[in-house]
Amino acid sequence: MTIERFRQLWTHRYFKYSHILKAHFLAYQAWIYFKTKKAKFAKGQKLIAIVRTEHFGDIVAAEPIGRYVRSLHPNAHIVWFVKPSYHELIDFNPSVDETFGEFCVTQRRVLFEKNVFDKIYPLQFSNNNHCTKCQVSIGNPIADRKGINVHTYFNFGNLLEVFAQTADLINSKISFPADDQPRLYLQDQHRQKADSLHLPERFVVIHCQSNYVPKDWPAERWDQLVKWLSENYSYKIVEIGLKSNLTTKEMNYRNLCGQLSILETAEVIKRADFFIGLDSGPSHLANAVGTAGVILMGSLGAFPSYNPYSGSYGRQENAFFVRQEGKMCSELSFEFVKEKVVSVLDKAILKRE
């Protein structure tokens, strides 16, 4: 073994075991915190955990579960476990008493092994509970028993129905038993941020990159779409997301990528006439705020045709899915997408007039 390889190996081990040690320390710290809090509860009051830590679209899709769990346990203290970067999606939810920003899955595993929680609702399946630093995964026996995993989950319904099944809240092939429309709880601070942007009176929001390449539509076709929209409609076009990969120089186009928090993004989408985007987190925001959506979708792995949404998007009351069964999103031609966008926009314009 070379000196350089030896150094790399022990550097890796140092960071790995330091991370694991911190996870254990934070777990014990959290255990003491929740044990102390629980000691002050009224007689019979329960401490309940809901676990959906990522991705933010999944957290939005799972929001109705918070309300449903509250209906089942009206007097409980409900804690939602989430990655710190997504805490704002839970912080203002009136059905949840507390947001717990999870350090990693090892922290959660050690904490739950202390049995301080009276009931845990895991809205995750085994192979999406992984910490790359600890190299540890957490299983979900409920999901395993039902055969729900990353290769099968859309065979069990939309995301809300899948998560409800992984928590044993519903059985397979049964619709969600309560209001299935996701909601967001936007605050004055989010509205004020949107006000400060001086958005146009009429505009379309676009979102052009997901966190998973097979769901994406090529950037050059998005550029074509922006150019065509600018030439044929009076709408301004506002792009949101983490970063843009477009090269368009159209005067009617504005790039807000990387400038907004999740809920600030939701407020911008709420003010738009339409959302045109991918099967990704922002489309779930659009569903939750009630903005009409045109969603570019394709086959996804073992799922040639699927529907991730509940509520008005899931029933396609407020959304139009642009897809050709068996084709990936990247294979959708510009002309095919343009034709579908025309049908949606023109119909809305006629209705407005």
Side-chain angles (χ1 to χ4, degrees), residues 56-86:
F56 84 77
D58 292 351
I59 297 168
V60 175
E63 185 277 335
I65 289 176
R67 286 181 272 132
Y68 184 54
V69 169
R70 172 59 68 195
S71 73
L72 297 175
H73 307 280
N75 300 315
H77 185 86
I78 299 175
V79 181
W80 191 303
F81 282 68
V82 67
K83 285 194 171 181
S85 54
Y86 304 129

Short mmCIF file of all heavy atoms in Angstrom, two decimals, residues 56-86:
data_model
loop_
_atom_site.label_atom_id
_atom_site.label_comp_id
_atom_site.label_asym_id
_atom_site.label_seq_id
_atom_site.Cartn_x
_atom_site.Cartn_y
_atom_site.Cartn_z
N PHE A 56 -38.14 16.68 -1.42
CA PHE A 56 -39.17 17.63 -1.00
C PHE A 56 -40.50 17.41 -1.70
O PHE A 56 -41.56 17.63 -1.12
CB PHE A 56 -38.66 19.07 -1.08
CG PHE A 56 -38.75 19.77 -2.40
CD1 PHE A 56 -39.96 20.26 -2.87
CD2 PHE A 56 -37.62 19.99 -3.16
CE1 PHE A 56 -40.05 20.95 -4.06
CE2 PHE A 56 -37.69 20.68 -4.36
CZ PHE A 56 -38.91 21.16 -4.81
N GLY A 57 -40.48 16.91 -2.95
CA GLY A 57 -41.73 16.58 -3.61
C GLY A 57 -42.46 15.45 -2.90
O GLY A 57 -43.70 15.47 -2.78
N ASP A 58 -41.70 14.48 -2.40
CA ASP A 58 -42.30 13.37 -1.65
C ASP A 58 -42.91 13.87 -0.34
O ASP A 58 -43.97 13.40 0.09
CB ASP A 58 -41.25 12.31 -1.34
CG ASP A 58 -40.76 11.59 -2.58
OD1 ASP A 58 -41.35 11.78 -3.66
OD2 ASP A 58 -39.78 10.82 -2.48
N ILE A 59 -42.24 14.82 0.29
CA ILE A 59 -42.75 15.37 1.56
C ILE A 59 -44.06 16.11 1.32
O ILE A 59 -45.02 15.98 2.09
CB ILE A 59 -41.69 16.29 2.21
CG1 ILE A 59 -40.44 15.48 2.57
CG2 ILE A 59 -42.26 16.97 3.45
CD1 ILE A 59 -39.24 16.34 2.94
N VAL A 60 -44.12 16.88 0.23
CA VAL A 60 -45.37 17.57 -0.12
C VAL A 60 -46.46 16.55 -0.42
O VAL A 60 -47.60 16.68 0.05
CB VAL A 60 -45.15 18.51 -1.32
CG1 VAL A 60 -46.49 19.12 -1.76
CG2 VAL A 60 -44.16 19.61 -0.97
N ALA A 61 -46.11 15.52 -1.19
CA ALA A 61 -47.09 14.49 -1.53
C ALA A 61 -47.63 13.78 -0.29
O ALA A 61 -48.79 13.36 -0.25
CB ALA A 61 -46.47 13.47 -2.49
N ALA A 62 -46.80 13.67 0.74
CA ALA A 62 -47.19 12.97 1.97
C ALA A 62 -47.92 13.86 2.96
O ALA A 62 -48.40 13.37 3.99
CB ALA A 62 -45.94 12.39 2.64
N GLU A 63 -48.04 15.16 2.67
CA GLU A 63 -48.64 16.09 3.63
C GLU A 63 -50.01 15.66 4.15
O GLU A 63 -50.29 15.80 5.36
CB GLU A 63 -48.73 17.49 3.01
CG GLU A 63 -49.22 18.58 3.94
CD GLU A 63 -50.73 18.66 4.05
OE1 GLU A 63 -51.43 18.23 3.09
OE2 GLU A 63 -51.24 19.14 5.08
N PRO A 64 -50.92 15.11 3.31
CA PRO A 64 -52.22 14.69 3.85
C PRO A 64 -52.12 13.65 4.97
O PRO A 64 -53.04 13.54 5.78
CB PRO A 64 -52.93 14.11 2.62
CG PRO A 64 -52.33 14.84 1.46
CD PRO A 64 -50.88 14.99 1.83
N ILE A 65 -51.02 12.92 5.01
CA ILE A 65 -50.85 11.92 6.08
C ILE A 65 -50.73 12.60 7.43
O ILE A 65 -51.23 12.09 8.44
CB ILE A 65 -49.64 11.02 5.79
CG1 ILE A 65 -49.98 10.09 4.61
CG2 ILE A 65 -49.24 10.19 7.02
CD1 ILE A 65 -48.84 9.20 4.15
N GLY A 66 -50.09 13.77 7.48
CA GLY A 66 -50.01 14.50 8.74
C GLY A 66 -51.38 14.82 9.28
O GLY A 66 -51.66 14.66 10.47
N ARG A 67 -52.26 15.27 8.40
CA ARG A 67 -53.64 15.58 8.81
C ARG A 67 -54.40 14.32 9.22
O ARG A 67 -55.17 14.34 10.19
CB ARG A 67 -54.36 16.30 7.68
CG ARG A 67 -53.93 17.74 7.50
CD ARG A 67 -54.68 18.43 6.38
NE ARG A 67 -54.03 18.24 5.09
CZ ARG A 67 -54.64 17.87 3.99
NH1 ARG A 67 -55.94 17.59 4.00
NH2 ARG A 67 -53.98 17.75 2.85
N TYR A 68 -54.16 13.24 8.49
CA TYR A 68 -54.86 11.99 8.81
C TYR A 68 -54.39 11.42 10.15
O TYR A 68 -55.20 10.99 10.97
CB TYR A 68 -54.63 10.98 7.69
CG TYR A 68 -55.39 9.69 7.87
CD1 TYR A 68 -56.77 9.68 8.06
CD2 TYR A 68 -54.73 8.47 7.85
CE1 TYR A 68 -57.48 8.50 8.22
CE2 TYR A 68 -55.42 7.27 8.00
CZ TYR A 68 -56.79 7.30 8.19
OH TYR A 68 -57.48 6.12 8.35
N VAL A 69 -53.08 11.45 10.39
CA VAL A 69 -52.55 10.98 11.67
C VAL A 69 -53.09 11.83 12.81
O VAL A 69 -53.43 11.33 13.88
CB VAL A 69 -51.00 10.97 11.65
CG1 VAL A 69 -50.44 10.73 13.06
CG2 VAL A 69 -50.49 9.89 10.69
N ARG A 70 -53.20 13.13 12.59
CA ARG A 70 -53.78 14.01 13.62
C ARG A 70 -55.22 13.61 13.92
O ARG A 70 -55.64 13.61 15.08
CB ARG A 70 -53.71 15.47 13.16
CG ARG A 70 -54.45 16.46 14.06
CD ARG A 70 -53.92 16.44 15.50
NE ARG A 70 -52.58 16.96 15.60
CZ ARG A 70 -51.80 16.79 16.66
NH1 ARG A 70 -52.23 16.09 17.70
NH2 ARG A 70 -50.58 17.30 16.69
N SER A 71 -55.98 13.23 12.89
CA SER A 71 -57.37 12.81 13.12
C SER A 71 -57.43 11.51 13.92
O SER A 71 -58.38 11.30 14.68
CB SER A 71 -58.11 12.65 11.79
OG SER A 71 -57.68 11.47 11.09
N LEU A 72 -56.41 10.66 13.75
CA LEU A 72 -56.37 9.40 14.51
C LEU A 72 -55.90 9.61 15.94
O LEU A 72 -56.29 8.85 16.84
CB LEU A 72 -55.43 8.40 13.81
CG LEU A 72 -55.81 7.96 12.39
CD1 LEU A 72 -54.71 7.07 11.81
CD2 LEU A 72 -57.15 7.22 12.39
N HIS A 73 -55.07 10.62 16.14
CA HIS A 73 -54.48 10.89 17.47
C HIS A 73 -54.61 12.38 17.78
O HIS A 73 -53.63 13.13 17.78
CB HIS A 73 -53.01 10.48 17.48
CG HIS A 73 -52.74 9.07 17.03
ND1 HIS A 73 -52.92 7.98 17.84
CD2 HIS A 73 -52.32 8.60 15.82
CE1 HIS A 73 -52.60 6.88 17.17
NE2 HIS A 73 -52.24 7.22 15.94
N PRO A 74 -55.83 12.85 18.06
CA PRO A 74 -56.06 14.29 18.21
C PRO A 74 -55.29 14.94 19.35
O PRO A 74 -55.00 16.14 19.29
CB PRO A 74 -57.57 14.39 18.43
CG PRO A 74 -58.00 13.02 18.86
CD PRO A 74 -57.07 12.06 18.19
N ASN A 75 -54.95 14.18 20.37
CA ASN A 75 -54.28 14.77 21.54
C ASN A 75 -52.78 14.46 21.60
O ASN A 75 -52.11 14.84 22.56
CB ASN A 75 -54.94 14.26 22.83
CG ASN A 75 -56.42 14.65 22.88
OD1 ASN A 75 -56.77 15.78 22.58
ND2 ASN A 75 -57.27 13.70 23.25
N ALA A 76 -52.28 13.78 20.61
CA ALA A 76 -50.87 13.36 20.62
C ALA A 76 -49.93 14.54 20.31
O ALA A 76 -50.35 15.56 19.76
CB ALA A 76 -50.65 12.25 19.62
N HIS A 77 -48.67 14.36 20.68
CA HIS A 77 -47.61 15.27 20.27
C HIS A 77 -46.94 14.62 19.06
O HIS A 77 -46.26 13.59 19.19
CB HIS A 77 -46.60 15.49 21.39
CG HIS A 77 -45.55 16.51 21.07
ND1 HIS A 77 -45.75 17.86 21.30
CD2 HIS A 77 -44.31 16.39 20.53
CE1 HIS A 77 -44.66 18.53 20.92
NE2 HIS A 77 -43.78 17.66 20.44
N ILE A 78 -47.13 15.21 17.88
CA ILE A 78 -46.68 14.61 16.63
C ILE A 78 -45.39 15.29 16.17
O ILE A 78 -45.33 16.51 16.05
CB ILE A 78 -47.76 14.70 15.54
CG1 ILE A 78 -49.02 13.94 15.98
CG2 ILE A 78 -47.24 14.16 14.21
CD1 ILE A 78 -50.19 14.07 15.02
N VAL A 79 -44.38 14.47 15.91
CA VAL A 79 -43.07 14.95 15.47
C VAL A 79 -42.79 14.39 14.08
O VAL A 79 -42.90 13.18 13.85
CB VAL A 79 -41.95 14.47 16.43
CG1 VAL A 79 -40.60 15.01 15.98
CG2 VAL A 79 -42.26 14.90 17.86
N TRP A 80 -42.45 15.27 13.14
CA TRP A 80 -42.13 14.83 11.77
C TRP A 80 -40.62 14.87 11.59
O TRP A 80 -40.00 15.91 11.76
CB TRP A 80 -42.81 15.73 10.75
CG TRP A 80 -42.78 15.22 9.34
CD1 TRP A 80 -41.67 14.89 8.60
CD2 TRP A 80 -43.90 14.98 8.47
NE1 TRP A 80 -42.01 14.46 7.35
CE2 TRP A 80 -43.39 14.50 7.23
CE3 TRP A 80 -45.29 15.13 8.61
CZ2 TRP A 80 -44.21 14.18 6.16
CZ3 TRP A 80 -46.11 14.81 7.54
CH2 TRP A 80 -45.58 14.34 6.33
N PHE A 81 -40.04 13.73 11.24
CA PHE A 81 -38.60 13.62 10.98
C PHE A 81 -38.32 13.96 9.52
O PHE A 81 -38.92 13.39 8.61
CB PHE A 81 -38.11 12.20 11.29
CG PHE A 81 -37.93 11.93 12.74
CD1 PHE A 81 -39.03 11.87 13.61
CD2 PHE A 81 -36.67 11.73 13.28
CE1 PHE A 81 -38.87 11.62 14.96
CE2 PHE A 81 -36.49 11.48 14.64
CZ PHE A 81 -37.60 11.43 15.48
N VAL A 82 -37.39 14.89 9.32
CA VAL A 82 -37.11 15.40 7.97
C VAL A 82 -35.66 15.84 7.92
O VAL A 82 -35.05 16.19 8.94
CB VAL A 82 -38.07 16.56 7.64
CG1 VAL A 82 -37.78 17.77 8.52
CG2 VAL A 82 -38.02 16.95 6.18
N LYS A 83 -35.07 15.82 6.74
CA LYS A 83 -33.73 16.39 6.60
C LYS A 83 -33.80 17.90 6.83
O LYS A 83 -34.76 18.55 6.41
CB LYS A 83 -33.18 16.08 5.21
CG LYS A 83 -32.73 14.62 5.05
CD LYS A 83 -31.89 14.43 3.81
CE LYS A 83 -31.30 13.03 3.80
NZ LYS A 83 -30.43 12.79 2.62
N PRO A 84 -32.79 18.47 7.48
CA PRO A 84 -32.85 19.90 7.82
C PRO A 84 -33.12 20.82 6.64
O PRO A 84 -33.78 21.85 6.79
CB PRO A 84 -31.46 20.16 8.42
CG PRO A 84 -31.05 18.84 9.00
CD PRO A 84 -31.60 17.81 8.05
N SER A 85 -32.67 20.47 5.46
CA SER A 85 -32.86 21.35 4.30
C SER A 85 -34.33 21.45 3.88
O SER A 85 -34.68 22.34 3.11
CB SER A 85 -32.02 20.85 3.11
OG SER A 85 -32.29 19.49 2.83
N TYR A 86 -35.18 20.55 4.39
CA TYR A 86 -36.59 20.57 4.03
C TYR A 86 -37.51 20.94 5.19
O TYR A 86 -38.72 20.79 5.10
CB TYR A 86 -37.00 19.20 3.47
CG TYR A 86 -36.16 18.73 2.31
CD1 TYR A 86 -35.59 17.46 2.31
CD2 TYR A 86 -35.93 19.55 1.21
CE1 TYR A 86 -34.81 17.03 1.23
CE2 TYR A 86 -35.16 19.13 0.14
CZ TYR A 86 -34.59 17.86 0.16
OH TYR A 86 -33.83 17.44 -0.90
#
